[in-house]
Amino acid sequence: MPPMKDSSNSTPRTDEELQEVTVGELKPHNATITLSEYDPRWPELFDREAKRIRSVLGNKALQVEHVGSTSVPGLCAKPIIDILLVVTDSADETTYVPDLEKVGYTLRIREPDWFEHRVFKGPDTDINLHVFSKETSEIDRMLRFRDWLRANNSDRDNYARVKRKLAQHEWRQVQHYADAKSSIVQEIMERANAT
């Protein structure tokens, strides 16, 4: 699920803007996006990662959730497990980053201007570990979107159609593909929020 930073702005973020929030080198994608049909092993991969995260962070992990397209049965997705980790204060990296790094997680994104969002890559499974502070509105938005798609076949199928169409384009950065989905995400969220 792409971040909803500014759905009215359709201009892709520049490499320089993306590099500002990237820890390490930003490498161009310059290719289409590979989507896989739903894989029933995705929840198992999430469970394994969630156990590892909880074992490392203990009660610092306030919430660990499977989010994004791999969390929705029947939905095509990039074969990357999106995980939501809620901590007390995501800006206070000293409380959780060293523990995650000790077991092989790598901090890749730091967005202080967007809910103090952090993203880690996993040690041995292709994941995006999204970290937010407790009571951040984005947490509820991500979970509502997931739960709505799990329960609403029509919106799930519509979202899949848009994703497949966009995936056929060549994208300089994967984030540009994610940002291009903002309008369909917003449309679906309006329906979800109306219930």
Side-chain angles (χ1 to χ4, degrees):
M1 179 173 173
M4 293 292 288
K5 298 195 184 202
D6 182 2
S7 60
S8 64
N9 182 1
S10 60
T11 305
R13 286 178 274 176
T14 65
D15 285 358
E16 291 76 22
E17 290 169 320
L18 291 172
Q19 181 61 68
E20 284 179 20
V21 299
T22 301
V23 178
E25 182 185 355
L26 176 70
K27 296 179 182 168
H29 182 68
N30 290 329
T32 58
I33 301 295
T34 300
L35 297 178
S36 299
E37 292 306 313
Y38 180 78
D39 187 334
R41 292 174 297 173
W42 289 339
E44 296 167 19
L45 292 173
F46 162 75
D47 286 340
R48 187 179 74 191
E49 290 300 316
K51 285 177 186 158
R52 179 171 16 205
I53 292 162
R54 286 187 183 107
S55 73
V56 169
L57 294 181
N59 61 8
K60 295 180 209 173
L62 304 178
Q63 192 172 356
V64 182
E65 298 273 355
H66 190 184
V67 294
S69 294
T70 62
S71 71
V72 179
L75 183 59
C76 59
K78 295 188 311 292
I80 301 169
I81 308 300
D82 281 295
I83 301 171
L84 168 66
L85 168 63
V86 180
V87 296
T88 301
D89 180 4
S90 57
D92 187 358
E93 293 183 7
T94 62
T95 62
Y96 66 96
V97 172
D99 294 331
L100 290 172
E101 288 179 338
K102 280 181 197 168
V103 295
Y105 290 93
T106 305
L107 180 62
R108 291 293 294 139
I109 304 287
R110 180 184 288 121
E111 294 183 287
D113 295 335
W114 190 66
F115 304 111
E116 291 290 354
H117 178 232
R118 305 296 191 265
V119 177
F120 291 79
K121 296 306 282 182
D124 50 28
T125 301
D126 202 355
I127 67 160
N128 290 321
L129 176 61
H130 301 271
V131 185
F132 291 102
S133 301
K134 66 180 180 178
E135 299 178 13
T136 298
S137 62
E138 184 62 12
I139 296 166
D140 292 335
R141 191 183 79 83
M142 291 174 86
L143 296 176
R144 181 178 288 274
F145 188 75
R146 175 199 69 188
D147 294 347
W148 180 261
L149 290 182
R150 284 177 172 176
N152 190 297
N153 293 343
S154 175
D155 272 338
R156 184 198 66 213
D157 294 345
N158 189 29
Y159 186 48
R161 273 192 297 280
V162 171
K163 288 173 59 161
R164 285 188 176 103
K165 183 177 179 184
L166 291 172
Q168 295 172 15
H169 298 280
E170 186 172 302
W171 299 95
R172 174 152 177 81
Q173 302 291 347
V174 175
Q175 186 61 49
H176 295 159
Y177 161 77
D179 291 343
K181 295 185 295 180
S182 290
S183 61
I184 185 65
V185 170
Q186 184 173 353
E187 179 185 315
I188 291 169
M189 284 303 300
E190 286 171 5
R191 281 192 288 277
N193 290 331
T195 61

